[in-house]
Amino acid sequence: MSKKISLIIVFTTLFFSGLVFAREASFSGNDYEINLHYNDTACPGDAIFIRMKFTQTKKSKVSKEQFAATTARAELLLGEKRLEKSTFYTLDSHSSKNTHTMLTGIPLSSWWTEEDTYCIKVTYNLYGTTPLEFTLPFSITPKEFVSETLQLDAQNTSIKTNTSVERMQQIEKLNKILDTIDEKGVHQLTAFTAPTTATRRTSFFADRRVYAYNNGKSSTSLHYGIDYGIPEGSEVTACAGGKVVMAENRISTGWSIVIEHLPGLYSLYYHLSEMKVAEGDTVKAGDLIGLSGKTGLATGPHLHWEIRLNMVAVNPDFFTNDFAFEGNPR
């Protein structure tokens, strides 16, 4: 059984997806201290990020290796029901002989509502042997989403309803990539930037969409990213530093690029006319990675920008703030 501990919760004010309160929490154990930052509220479709730093006190007699063996996970609870879970990974660049800094992110469904009662449970195995846990308060801020109907011509209807082996294999390949969590894949912790200088958005994250086919039938789904209405051939840049893990032509999304930024955190760029990077390349924020287009299922030239966290599509705007608390390390 995990032992529960009590935390001293201290409020701090941070800019986070607009003006939102975030929290700092601290705890002193027998031979260690914990200091953490996390956002205690977010909109549906955003995420929760928790940054936790363990510091050895002078009383500690464990070795550096024992101290670094501490592992942790976070769970988002609705009452007693677990909605999501995520494992913490180590930030080596922010750890030392006597400190151990960890980070994790939990995606929030765009269907969850503010009327429900949530909390976050953090469980950690101190030195890899002693299980302890504590809970953190969390709430969801209400948000309204756009509903739209897209009229598809014969070509786009054919793409949307394509059930070929080739398309199913492409979907399976992408899902396998997005389901990969490389704990050493820490490329950028600072705020992301938009992948284009354009500001005109033609579709928004989590739009409730109806696809009207040219045969009179229809289907419904969510729009998983943000669409920028930009001319074909416009420059598309990496929203953050990372590793290119996919760069290929797909039936539904056309010329597509996927970049890993943190363990389980990926950005996706769809419908390109040209790619400027290849799989395996390392990029920095702002690097040119491709040119916009209208390949795949597209009703016109645009850039589709998407962010996935632990496979779940989350609001890209969330990551244009200090989501990993780089401005508040201790």
Side-chain angles (χ1 to χ4, degrees):
M1 293 291 292
S2 298
K3 298 179 181 179
K4 291 187 177 181
I5 64 173
S6 59
L7 289 172
I8 302 170
I9 303 294
V10 181
F11 283 94
T12 58
T13 302
L14 299 174
F15 285 96
F16 207 96
S17 291
L19 183 60
V20 176
F21 286 107
R23 286 192 174 182
E24 176 184 351
S26 58
F27 170 75
S28 296
N30 291 329
D31 59 356
Y32 68 99
E33 296 177 350
I34 297 175
N35 183 268
L36 66 83
H37 292 85
Y38 80 106
N39 55 303
D40 68 343
T41 184
C43 294
D46 284 350
I48 305 164
F49 267 78
I50 309 169
R51 183 176 182 134
M52 184 162 56
K53 181 178 180 179
F54 291 82
T55 303
Q56 287 179 291
T57 65
K58 293 181 180 180
K59 296 179 181 180
S60 179
K61 300 183 184 302
V62 301
S63 66
K64 176 183 177 181
E65 290 72 25
Q66 287 176 298
F67 190 62
T70 297
T71 60
R73 71 175 186 272
E75 299 171 283
L76 178 64
L77 303 179
L78 174 59
E80 297 296 323
K81 181 181 179 181
R82 185 177 70 189
L83 300 176
E84 291 283 351
K85 66 176 181 178
S86 186
T87 301
F88 282 82
Y89 46 88
T90 300
L91 301 181
D92 289 329
S93 62
H94 292 278
S95 300
S96 65
K97 178 180 179 180
N98 300 315
T99 64
H100 186 57
T101 302
M102 311 172 80
L103 183 71
T104 196
I106 300 175
L108 301 178
S109 168
S110 62
W111 295 107
W112 293 338
T113 65
E114 71 279 6
E115 288 85 5
D116 294 324
T117 302
Y118 304 91
C119 72
I120 304 164
K121 182 172 78 171
V122 176
T123 304
Y124 63 99
N125 292 316
L126 186 63
Y127 313 140
T129 58
T130 306
L132 297 166
E133 68 179 44
F134 55 85
T135 58
L136 301 167
F138 177 77
S139 62
I140 286 184
T141 302
K143 180 179 181 179
E144 293 186 3
F145 295 95
V146 175
S147 297
E148 64 175 352
T149 299
L150 292 185
Q151 301 290 335
L152 302 186
D153 59 17
Q155 179 179 345
N156 283 325
T157 294
S158 176
I159 293 174
K160 182 64 177 174
T161 57
N162 185 325
T163 58
S164 66
V165 172
E166 181 183 7
R167 183 169 181 240
M168 296 304 105
Q169 288 176 339
Q170 290 177 353
I171 292 172
E172 183 180 358
K173 178 180 179 179
L174 178 60
N175 286 339
K176 185 177 180 179
I177 290 173
L178 299 178
D179 194 32
T180 300
I181 299 178
D182 176 8
E183 293 191 356
K184 296 299 181 181
V186 178
H187 300 283
Q188 180 167 324
L189 295 166
T190 53
F192 292 5
T193 56
T196 173
T197 57
T199 58
R200 186 173 74 91
R201 298 182 176 189
T202 53
S203 291
F204 302 88
F205 170 75
D207 284 356
R208 277 55 172 157
R209 276 189 171 178
V210 175
Y211 291 94
Y213 304 144
N214 74 322
N215 59 11
K217 297 181 180 181
S218 65
S219 65
T220 60
S221 68
L222 290 180
H223 184 238
Y224 289 146
I226 295 171
D227 285 350
Y228 289 93
I230 52 179
E232 187 168 358
S234 299
E235 291 190 347
V236 176
T237 56
C239 67
K243 179 181 177 181
V244 178
V245 292
M246 175 183 280
E248 63 183 45
N249 192 19
R250 306 177 71 245
I251 292 172
S252 57
T253 59
W255 291 105
S256 306
I257 294 172
V258 180
I259 302 175
E260 175 195 49
H261 303 290
L262 287 171
L265 183 64
Y266 299 86
S267 63
L268 302 85
Y269 312 78
Y270 288 164
H271 311 298
L272 304 174
S273 61
E274 187 177 340
M275 299 190 302
K276 300 293 188 180
V277 293
E279 183 177 332
D281 287 351
T282 299
V283 297
K284 302 186 300 294
D287 281 355
L288 179 66
I289 60 172
L291 302 178
S292 64
K294 55 180 179 180
T295 56
L297 199 166
T299 57
H302 72 285
L303 168 66
H304 174 96
W305 177 41
E306 187 174 320
I307 300 286
R308 294 288 187 108
L309 173 61
N310 298 349
M311 290 196 74
V312 178
V314 287
N315 184 6
D317 286 332
F318 176 87
F319 296 91
T320 60
N321 295 277
D322 185 19
F323 68 95
F325 305 101
E326 273 291 275
N328 293 271
R330 291 197 174 195

